[in-house]
Amino acid sequence: MNYIQSLFDIEINEPTAITVGKFDGIHKGHHLLTKDIIEKKQQGYKSCLITFNNSLRSFLKDDDTPSLITNKERMFMLDNDGLDYLIECPFDQKLMETDPKCFIEYLVKKLNMKYMVSGTDFTFGYKGAGNPQMLLELSKELGFEYRVIDKIKMNNRDISSTYIREELKEGHIESVNDMLGYEYFVWGEVVHGAHLGHTIGIPTINIMPETTKLVPKFGVYVTTIDFDGRIYHGVTNVGTKPSVSDKKIVGIETHILDYNGDLYGRFVKVTFKSFLRPEMKFESIDALQEQMNKDKILAKQFFNK
């Protein structure tokens, strides 16, 4: 996959099939768009996705809510899907104030766009003046094919990154995974914690998620842990560990079932399968240990059912 970090100073000579958007999470609706342009390879087109390396919410609304996916994760997923070009540019004042028609003319002339696909709610250009109706008209004028794909619904509501973030904050991980089309995950490096788990006979690994990555609702989850090409079963606490710390530092602490190896400094992938309970503050270490043992039993029952 060709990875490009600019937009207005590049040129692609091969005919392209293009889609544009933030693509936060690469959910089922996004997948319809990416699948569509990748399938255009059969007609000799190169698939090209244009997205942004910064948060539109932060730029437009001063909203620092983390994203469902990091830029690195998105790049990895799209590369695996077989995308030819990923253009990841900054959403800035220049791009925001670009005339909609000029933007599409640029895609046609400089990126050799022959095909474009979007969702029904796609807007672009200055003050969001560009929309599917304008694109349909411009496709006839500028000589490219344009397709609109309807939204996918769940519970009579459009699947969207906003909807998924809402569900994730509520701990509705099964709903999140259903809308994504894959299971929500967090990558991270295993770091040293307080080593309490080893002390009470339930060793854990700790990872610190990237600040740009939205973590699920604080609580305990059934998870899988992926490293060295193998997948292990586990139980994971997301939160600040109030029973043992007052620092309010958000972390992800996982007990890997039937594993006692040393993973410090290694990168692991923690995938969330099911929500068990909210994060709790226990009055004693013994009470915490008792609950952790109960959580282990529930996790094993989940995987054995």
Side-chain angles (χ1 to χ4, degrees), residues 259-283:
Y259 181 84
N260 292 305
D262 183 354
L263 295 177
Y264 292 119
R266 305 278 294 280
F267 281 84
V268 302
K269 177 185 178 183
V270 178
T271 300
F272 295 86
K273 312 280 289 186
S274 184
F275 180 78
L276 288 181
R277 63 173 176 83
E279 186 177 49
M280 300 158 59
K281 182 174 183 178
F282 296 92
E283 296 301 320

PDB file of all heavy atoms in Angstrom, residues 259-283:
ATOM      1  N   TYR A 259      -1.201 -18.802  31.863  1.00  0.00           N
ATOM      2  CA  TYR A 259       0.053 -18.312  31.287  1.00  0.00           C
ATOM      3  C   TYR A 259       0.835 -17.567  32.362  1.00  0.00           C
ATOM      4  O   TYR A 259       0.277 -16.743  33.087  1.00  0.00           O
ATOM      5  CB  TYR A 259      -0.217 -17.377  30.102  1.00  0.00           C
ATOM      6  CG  TYR A 259       1.046 -16.868  29.456  1.00  0.00           C
ATOM      7  CD1 TYR A 259       1.716 -17.628  28.497  1.00  0.00           C
ATOM      8  CD2 TYR A 259       1.576 -15.625  29.797  1.00  0.00           C
ATOM      9  CE1 TYR A 259       2.876 -17.174  27.903  1.00  0.00           C
ATOM     10  CE2 TYR A 259       2.740 -15.156  29.201  1.00  0.00           C
ATOM     11  CZ  TYR A 259       3.389 -15.934  28.263  1.00  0.00           C
ATOM     12  OH  TYR A 259       4.543 -15.473  27.678  1.00  0.00           O
ATOM     13  N   ASN A 260       2.127 -17.842  32.466  1.00  0.00           N
ATOM     14  CA  ASN A 260       2.949 -17.210  33.493  1.00  0.00           C
ATOM     15  C   ASN A 260       4.250 -16.623  32.950  1.00  0.00           C
ATOM     16  O   ASN A 260       5.182 -16.371  33.697  1.00  0.00           O
ATOM     17  CB  ASN A 260       3.292 -18.231  34.602  1.00  0.00           C
ATOM     18  CG  ASN A 260       2.070 -18.641  35.409  1.00  0.00           C
ATOM     19  OD1 ASN A 260       1.371 -17.785  35.956  1.00  0.00           O
ATOM     20  ND2 ASN A 260       1.794 -19.940  35.465  1.00  0.00           N
ATOM     21  N   GLY A 261       4.339 -16.407  31.651  1.00  0.00           N
ATOM     22  CA  GLY A 261       5.573 -15.899  31.056  1.00  0.00           C
ATOM     23  C   GLY A 261       5.808 -14.422  31.335  1.00  0.00           C
ATOM     24  O   GLY A 261       4.933 -13.701  31.818  1.00  0.00           O
ATOM     25  N   ASP A 262       6.989 -13.957  30.998  1.00  0.00           N
ATOM     26  CA  ASP A 262       7.391 -12.559  31.169  1.00  0.00           C
ATOM     27  C   ASP A 262       7.182 -11.809  29.847  1.00  0.00           C
ATOM     28  O   ASP A 262       7.815 -12.135  28.835  1.00  0.00           O
ATOM     29  CB  ASP A 262       8.859 -12.499  31.585  1.00  0.00           C
ATOM     30  CG  ASP A 262       9.350 -11.076  31.862  1.00  0.00           C
ATOM     31  OD1 ASP A 262       8.575 -10.130  31.612  1.00  0.00           O
ATOM     32  OD2 ASP A 262      10.494 -10.925  32.318  1.00  0.00           O
ATOM     33  N   LEU A 263       6.307 -10.823  29.868  1.00  0.00           N
ATOM     34  CA  LEU A 263       5.999 -10.074  28.640  1.00  0.00           C
ATOM     35  C   LEU A 263       6.430  -8.611  28.715  1.00  0.00           C
ATOM     36  O   LEU A 263       6.067  -7.823  27.843  1.00  0.00           O
ATOM     37  CB  LEU A 263       4.492 -10.148  28.352  1.00  0.00           C
ATOM     38  CG  LEU A 263       3.933 -11.533  28.029  1.00  0.00           C
ATOM     39  CD1 LEU A 263       2.424 -11.458  27.854  1.00  0.00           C
ATOM     40  CD2 LEU A 263       4.573 -12.104  26.781  1.00  0.00           C
ATOM     41  N   TYR A 264       7.193  -8.236  29.724  1.00  0.00           N
ATOM     42  CA  TYR A 264       7.588  -6.835  29.871  1.00  0.00           C
ATOM     43  C   TYR A 264       8.341  -6.344  28.627  1.00  0.00           C
ATOM     44  O   TYR A 264       9.240  -7.009  28.112  1.00  0.00           O
ATOM     45  CB  TYR A 264       8.463  -6.649  31.104  1.00  0.00           C
ATOM     46  CG  TYR A 264       7.725  -6.852  32.406  1.00  0.00           C
ATOM     47  CD1 TYR A 264       8.109  -7.844  33.299  1.00  0.00           C
ATOM     48  CD2 TYR A 264       6.628  -6.053  32.724  1.00  0.00           C
ATOM     49  CE1 TYR A 264       7.411  -8.047  34.483  1.00  0.00           C
ATOM     50  CE2 TYR A 264       5.923  -6.238  33.906  1.00  0.00           C
ATOM     51  CZ  TYR A 264       6.316  -7.237  34.783  1.00  0.00           C
ATOM     52  OH  TYR A 264       5.620  -7.427  35.950  1.00  0.00           O
ATOM     53  N   GLY A 265       7.917  -5.163  28.138  1.00  0.00           N
ATOM     54  CA  GLY A 265       8.527  -4.587  26.960  1.00  0.00           C
ATOM     55  C   GLY A 265       7.985  -5.111  25.652  1.00  0.00           C
ATOM     56  O   GLY A 265       8.351  -4.611  24.582  1.00  0.00           O
ATOM     57  N   ARG A 266       7.113  -6.092  25.714  1.00  0.00           N
ATOM     58  CA  ARG A 266       6.506  -6.656  24.502  1.00  0.00           C
ATOM     59  C   ARG A 266       5.211  -5.913  24.188  1.00  0.00           C
ATOM     60  O   ARG A 266       4.549  -5.365  25.078  1.00  0.00           O
ATOM     61  CB  ARG A 266       6.199  -8.134  24.720  1.00  0.00           C
ATOM     62  CG  ARG A 266       7.397  -8.968  25.165  1.00  0.00           C
ATOM     63  CD  ARG A 266       8.266  -9.380  24.008  1.00  0.00           C
ATOM     64  NE  ARG A 266       7.552 -10.291  23.141  1.00  0.00           N
ATOM     65  CZ  ARG A 266       7.409 -11.594  23.400  1.00  0.00           C
ATOM     66  NH1 ARG A 266       7.951 -12.134  24.482  1.00  0.00           N
ATOM     67  NH2 ARG A 266       6.755 -12.370  22.560  1.00  0.00           N
ATOM     68  N   PHE A 267       4.819  -5.913  22.916  1.00  0.00           N
ATOM     69  CA  PHE A 267       3.552  -5.327  22.508  1.00  0.00           C
ATOM     70  C   PHE A 267       2.518  -6.436  22.356  1.00  0.00           C
ATOM     71  O   PHE A 267       2.791  -7.472  21.725  1.00  0.00           O
ATOM     72  CB  PHE A 267       3.703  -4.555  21.197  1.00  0.00           C
ATOM     73  CG  PHE A 267       4.307  -3.193  21.385  1.00  0.00           C
ATOM     74  CD1 PHE A 267       5.684  -3.040  21.448  1.00  0.00           C
ATOM     75  CD2 PHE A 267       3.505  -2.078  21.521  1.00  0.00           C
ATOM     76  CE1 PHE A 267       6.252  -1.793  21.639  1.00  0.00           C
ATOM     77  CE2 PHE A 267       4.053  -0.820  21.698  1.00  0.00           C
ATOM     78  CZ  PHE A 267       5.441  -0.675  21.759  1.00  0.00           C
ATOM     79  N   VAL A 268       1.361  -6.221  22.941  1.00  0.00           N
ATOM     80  CA  VAL A 268       0.293  -7.212  22.877  1.00  0.00           C
ATOM     81  C   VAL A 268      -0.995  -6.541  22.401  1.00  0.00           C
ATOM     82  O   VAL A 268      -1.159  -5.327  22.507  1.00  0.00           O
ATOM     83  CB  VAL A 268       0.052  -7.895  24.246  1.00  0.00           C
ATOM     84  CG1 VAL A 268       1.311  -8.570  24.741  1.00  0.00           C
ATOM     85  CG2 VAL A 268      -0.461  -6.892  25.271  1.00  0.00           C
ATOM     86  N   LYS A 269      -1.887  -7.364  21.897  1.00  0.00           N
ATOM     87  CA  LYS A 269      -3.201  -6.900  21.454  1.00  0.00           C
ATOM     88  C   LYS A 269      -4.249  -7.504  22.384  1.00  0.00           C
ATOM     89  O   LYS A 269      -4.341  -8.723  22.514  1.00  0.00           O
ATOM     90  CB  LYS A 269      -3.453  -7.337  20.010  1.00  0.00           C
ATOM     91  CG  LYS A 269      -4.826  -6.970  19.461  1.00  0.00           C
ATOM     92  CD  LYS A 269      -4.983  -7.560  18.067  1.00  0.00           C
ATOM     93  CE  LYS A 269      -6.361  -7.266  17.469  1.00  0.00           C
ATOM     94  NZ  LYS A 269      -6.525  -7.900  16.139  1.00  0.00           N
ATOM     95  N   VAL A 270      -5.007  -6.647  23.047  1.00  0.00           N
ATOM     96  CA  VAL A 270      -6.085  -7.090  23.935  1.00  0.00           C
ATOM     97  C   VAL A 270      -7.412  -6.840  23.223  1.00  0.00           C
ATOM     98  O   VAL A 270      -7.735  -5.700  22.878  1.00  0.00           O
ATOM     99  CB  VAL A 270      -6.049  -6.338  25.280  1.00  0.00           C
ATOM    100  CG1 VAL A 270      -7.210  -6.777  26.174  1.00  0.00           C
ATOM    101  CG2 VAL A 270      -4.714  -6.580  25.998  1.00  0.00           C
ATOM    102  N   THR A 271      -8.163  -7.911  23.009  1.00  0.00           N
ATOM    103  CA  THR A 271      -9.431  -7.830  22.278  1.00  0.00           C
ATOM    104  C   THR A 271     -10.584  -8.086  23.233  1.00  0.00           C
ATOM    105  O   THR A 271     -10.573  -9.063  23.982  1.00  0.00           O
ATOM    106  CB  THR A 271      -9.454  -8.868  21.143  1.00  0.00           C
ATOM    107  OG1 THR A 271      -8.373  -8.596  20.242  1.00  0.00           O
ATOM    108  CG2 THR A 271     -10.768  -8.807  20.383  1.00  0.00           C
ATOM    109  N   PHE A 272     -11.586  -7.213  23.186  1.00  0.00           N
ATOM    110  CA  PHE A 272     -12.680  -7.247  24.153  1.00  0.00           C
ATOM    111  C   PHE A 272     -13.850  -8.078  23.624  1.00  0.00           C
ATOM    112  O   PHE A 272     -14.398  -7.809  22.556  1.00  0.00           O
ATOM    113  CB  PHE A 272     -13.134  -5.827  24.477  1.00  0.00           C
ATOM    114  CG  PHE A 272     -12.079  -5.022  25.180  1.00  0.00           C
ATOM    115  CD1 PHE A 272     -11.103  -4.337  24.458  1.00  0.00           C
ATOM    116  CD2 PHE A 272     -12.024  -4.968  26.561  1.00  0.00           C
ATOM    117  CE1 PHE A 272     -10.113  -3.614  25.097  1.00  0.00           C
ATOM    118  CE2 PHE A 272     -11.042  -4.265  27.217  1.00  0.00           C
ATOM    119  CZ  PHE A 272     -10.076  -3.580  26.487  1.00  0.00           C
ATOM    120  N   LYS A 273     -14.236  -9.097  24.426  1.00  0.00           N
ATOM    121  CA  LYS A 273     -15.276 -10.031  24.019  1.00  0.00           C
ATOM    122  C   LYS A 273     -16.612  -9.792  24.718  1.00  0.00           C
ATOM    123  O   LYS A 273     -17.666  -9.843  24.100  1.00  0.00           O
ATOM    124  CB  LYS A 273     -14.821 -11.464  24.324  1.00  0.00           C
ATOM    125  CG  LYS A 273     -13.422 -11.808  23.862  1.00  0.00           C
ATOM    126  CD  LYS A 273     -13.344 -12.141  22.420  1.00  0.00           C
ATOM    127  CE  LYS A 273     -13.972 -13.456  22.090  1.00  0.00           C
ATOM    128  NZ  LYS A 273     -13.756 -13.840  20.680  1.00  0.00           N
ATOM    129  N   SER A 274     -16.570  -9.574  26.054  1.00  0.00           N
ATOM    130  CA  SER A 274     -17.812  -9.461  26.821  1.00  0.00           C
ATOM    131  C   SER A 274     -17.558  -8.692  28.111  1.00  0.00           C
ATOM    132  O   SER A 274     -16.481  -8.802  28.707  1.00  0.00           O
ATOM    133  CB  SER A 274     -18.352 -10.858  27.142  1.00  0.00           C
ATOM    134  OG  SER A 274     -19.596 -10.792  27.813  1.00  0.00           O
ATOM    135  N   PHE A 275     -18.547  -7.911  28.539  1.00  0.00           N
ATOM    136  CA  PHE A 275     -18.454  -7.127  29.774  1.00  0.00           C
ATOM    137  C   PHE A 275     -18.913  -7.990  30.946  1.00  0.00           C
ATOM    138  O   PHE A 275     -19.977  -8.605  30.895  1.00  0.00           O
ATOM    139  CB  PHE A 275     -19.346  -5.888  29.645  1.00  0.00           C
ATOM    140  CG  PHE A 275     -19.347  -4.986  30.850  1.00  0.00           C
ATOM    141  CD1 PHE A 275     -18.297  -4.121  31.079  1.00  0.00           C
ATOM    142  CD2 PHE A 275     -20.412  -4.990  31.739  1.00  0.00           C
ATOM    143  CE1 PHE A 275     -18.299  -3.271  32.170  1.00  0.00           C
ATOM    144  CE2 PHE A 275     -20.430  -4.148  32.835  1.00  0.00           C
ATOM    145  CZ  PHE A 275     -19.366  -3.284  33.063  1.00  0.00           C
ATOM    146  N   LEU A 276     -18.105  -8.033  32.008  1.00  0.00           N
ATOM    147  CA  LEU A 276     -18.459  -8.812  33.192  1.00  0.00           C
ATOM    148  C   LEU A 276     -19.079  -7.971  34.301  1.00  0.00           C
ATOM    149  O   LEU A 276     -20.133  -8.298  34.831  1.00  0.00           O
ATOM    150  CB  LEU A 276     -17.221  -9.529  33.744  1.00  0.00           C
ATOM    151  CG  LEU A 276     -16.685 -10.717  32.951  1.00  0.00           C
ATOM    152  CD1 LEU A 276     -15.469 -11.312  33.658  1.00  0.00           C
ATOM    153  CD2 LEU A 276     -17.766 -11.786  32.781  1.00  0.00           C
ATOM    154  N   ARG A 277     -18.421  -6.861  34.653  1.00  0.00           N
ATOM    155  CA  ARG A 277     -18.904  -6.037  35.768  1.00  0.00           C
ATOM    156  C   ARG A 277     -18.213  -4.683  35.741  1.00  0.00           C
ATOM    157  O   ARG A 277     -17.145  -4.525  35.127  1.00  0.00           O
ATOM    158  CB  ARG A 277     -18.625  -6.727  37.099  1.00  0.00           C
ATOM    159  CG  ARG A 277     -17.139  -6.937  37.395  1.00  0.00           C
ATOM    160  CD  ARG A 277     -16.893  -7.470  38.789  1.00  0.00           C
ATOM    161  NE  ARG A 277     -15.476  -7.745  39.023  1.00  0.00           N
ATOM    162  CZ  ARG A 277     -14.574  -6.831  39.380  1.00  0.00           C
ATOM    163  NH1 ARG A 277     -14.933  -5.559  39.520  1.00  0.00           N
ATOM    164  NH2 ARG A 277     -13.307  -7.169  39.582  1.00  0.00           N
ATOM    165  N   PRO A 278     -18.776  -3.673  36.423  1.00  0.00           N
ATOM    166  CA  PRO A 278     -18.110  -2.373  36.520  1.00  0.00           C
ATOM    167  C   PRO A 278     -16.857  -2.462  37.389  1.00  0.00           C
ATOM    168  O   PRO A 278     -16.712  -3.384  38.204  1.00  0.00           O
ATOM    169  CB  PRO A 278     -19.168  -1.480  37.192  1.00  0.00           C
ATOM    170  CG  PRO A 278     -20.450  -2.225  37.086  1.00  0.00           C
ATOM    171  CD  PRO A 278     -20.106  -3.670  37.046  1.00  0.00           C
ATOM    172  N   GLU A 279     -15.954  -1.496  37.225  1.00  0.00           N
ATOM    173  CA  GLU A 279     -14.793  -1.416  38.111  1.00  0.00           C
ATOM    174  C   GLU A 279     -15.273  -1.059  39.519  1.00  0.00           C
ATOM    175  O   GLU A 279     -16.168  -0.237  39.696  1.00  0.00           O
ATOM    176  CB  GLU A 279     -13.806  -0.362  37.612  1.00  0.00           C
ATOM    177  CG  GLU A 279     -12.522  -0.335  38.418  1.00  0.00           C
ATOM    178  CD  GLU A 279     -11.504   0.649  37.883  1.00  0.00           C
ATOM    179  OE1 GLU A 279     -11.876   1.810  37.636  1.00  0.00           O
ATOM    180  OE2 GLU A 279     -10.341   0.259  37.720  1.00  0.00           O
ATOM    181  N   MET A 280     -14.667  -1.682  40.521  1.00  0.00           N
ATOM    182  CA  MET A 280     -15.117  -1.502  41.898  1.00  0.00           C
ATOM    183  C   MET A 280     -13.918  -1.221  42.810  1.00  0.00           C
ATOM    184  O   MET A 280     -12.793  -1.619  42.515  1.00  0.00           O
ATOM    185  CB  MET A 280     -15.843  -2.771  42.381  1.00  0.00           C
ATOM    186  CG  MET A 280     -17.061  -3.128  41.564  1.00  0.00           C
ATOM    187  SD  MET A 280     -17.556  -4.890  41.683  1.00  0.00           S
ATOM    188  CE  MET A 280     -17.843  -5.048  43.430  1.00  0.00           C
ATOM    189  N   LYS A 281     -14.194  -0.560  43.938  1.00  0.00           N
ATOM    190  CA  LYS A 281     -13.176  -0.356  44.966  1.00  0.00           C
ATOM    191  C   LYS A 281     -13.473  -1.303  46.116  1.00  0.00           C
ATOM    192  O   LYS A 281     -14.555  -1.272  46.697  1.00  0.00           O
ATOM    193  CB  LYS A 281     -13.168   1.091  45.458  1.00  0.00           C
ATOM    194  CG  LYS A 281     -12.082   1.360  46.497  1.00  0.00           C
ATOM    195  CD  LYS A 281     -11.996   2.833  46.850  1.00  0.00           C
ATOM    196  CE  LYS A 281     -10.863   3.080  47.835  1.00  0.00           C
ATOM    197  NZ  LYS A 281     -10.713   4.523  48.157  1.00  0.00           N
ATOM    198  N   PHE A 282     -12.496  -2.150  46.443  1.00  0.00           N
ATOM    199  CA  PHE A 282     -12.671  -3.142  47.498  1.00  0.00           C
ATOM    200  C   PHE A 282     -12.021  -2.663  48.789  1.00  0.00           C
ATOM    201  O   PHE A 282     -11.033  -1.918  48.784  1.00  0.00           O
ATOM    202  CB  PHE A 282     -12.082  -4.485  47.051  1.00  0.00           C
ATOM    203  CG  PHE A 282     -12.789  -5.081  45.865  1.00  0.00           C
ATOM    204  CD1 PHE A 282     -12.353  -4.815  44.573  1.00  0.00           C
ATOM    205  CD2 PHE A 282     -13.900  -5.889  46.034  1.00  0.00           C
ATOM    206  CE1 PHE A 282     -13.011  -5.350  43.478  1.00  0.00           C
ATOM    207  CE2 PHE A 282     -14.573  -6.426  44.944  1.00  0.00           C
ATOM    208  CZ  PHE A 282     -14.122  -6.167  43.666  1.00  0.00           C
ATOM    209  N   GLU A 283     -12.579  -3.119  49.887  1.00  0.00           N
ATOM    210  CA  GLU A 283     -12.111  -2.672  51.198  1.00  0.00           C
ATOM    211  C   GLU A 283     -10.804  -3.324  51.612  1.00  0.00           C
ATOM    212  O   GLU A 283     -10.115  -2.833  52.508  1.00  0.00           O
ATOM    213  CB  GLU A 283     -13.191  -2.952  52.259  1.00  0.00           C
ATOM    214  CG  GLU A 283     -14.477  -2.182  52.034  1.00  0.00           C
ATOM    215  CD  GLU A 283     -14.267  -0.676  52.035  1.00  0.00           C
ATOM    216  OE1 GLU A 283     -13.461  -0.196  52.878  1.00  0.00           O
ATOM    217  OE2 GLU A 283     -14.878   0.010  51.196  1.00  0.00           O
TER     218      GLU A 283
END
